[in-house]
Amino acid sequence: MDTPTPGQILRPLHVGISVPDMEEALTWYERNLGFRLVKDDGFVPPLGARICFLERDGFQLELFRYEDPRPIPEDRLLPDTDLRTVGTKHAAFQVDDMDAMKARLLDNGVDIAHETEMHGERVLFIRDPGGSLIELIQMK
């Protein structure tokens, strides 16, 4: 086994997402993507936000709920136009059965933004309750 060289990235830790309603987001990410709340930092005065960490399979989402959140601009709500805006775009997760996943998401009233196939892989973009894009991929 190789020994890591000092100063190297060891593993991914989390993706940060600002949300307009923390309780709604916590429920949504648990119900639809299987994340569980692992840490609630409560309100953090220097940031003016409540911070919560959710985890699934060792990967975390860091949710921020600011006192006065601003909505996502219209051009960030669709994958094709969002990708043209410089900056972080979305989190992506691999799924084993896109048909079953999509059916469950639709049953839960999840907003589906875009569906396509690329290089033989099925891709589904969904929006969380605040409009943040999440990409789901069924690998070939």
Side-chain angles (χ1 to χ4, degrees):
M1 180 188 249
D2 293 332
T3 303
T5 304
Q8 299 295 310
I9 291 175
L10 299 178
R11 65 184 179 94
L13 292 176
H14 67 261
V15 168
I17 302 172
S18 288
V19 299
D21 181 314
M22 184 64 80
E23 297 310 319
E24 180 182 34
L26 291 172
T27 299
W28 189 92
Y29 278 97
E30 179 176 342
R31 181 176 187 200
N32 295 296
L33 301 182
F35 280 86
R36 301 285 184 255
L37 178 66
V38 293
K39 185 179 178 193
D40 184 343
D41 286 339
F43 185 78
V44 180
L47 292 178
R50 178 180 172 195
I51 300 173
C52 292
F53 287 86
L54 301 148
E55 187 171 312
R56 180 184 173 138
D57 301 325
F59 182 74
Q60 294 187 349
L61 298 176
E62 180 181 21
L63 302 184
F64 299 88
R65 196 310 180 169
Y66 281 85
E67 292 176 307
D68 188 20
R70 289 182 268 173
I72 293 177
E74 285 291 319
D75 66 339
R76 302 270 338 252
L77 293 173
L78 296 172
D80 290 345
T81 55
D82 181 48
L83 291 173
R84 295 176 186 188
T85 303
V86 174
T88 304
K89 301 292 102 193
H90 56 264
F93 300 97
Q94 183 178 352
V95 300
D96 63 347
D97 182 334
M98 189 66 79
D99 291 327
M101 183 69 168
K102 181 180 176 183
R104 186 166 55 81
L105 294 171
L106 287 172
D107 285 347
N108 289 345
V110 171
D111 184 14
I112 294 180
H114 183 71
E115 185 174 7
T116 190
E117 187 171 310
M118 295 184 340
H119 308 291
E121 297 176 347
R122 294 183 63 190
V123 177
L124 184 70
F125 280 91
I126 59 175
R127 292 185 195 94
D128 77 359
S132 294
L133 291 168
I134 307 290
E135 183 179 17
L136 304 174
I137 304 169
Q138 181 179 341
M139 310 296 273
K140 56 180 170 175

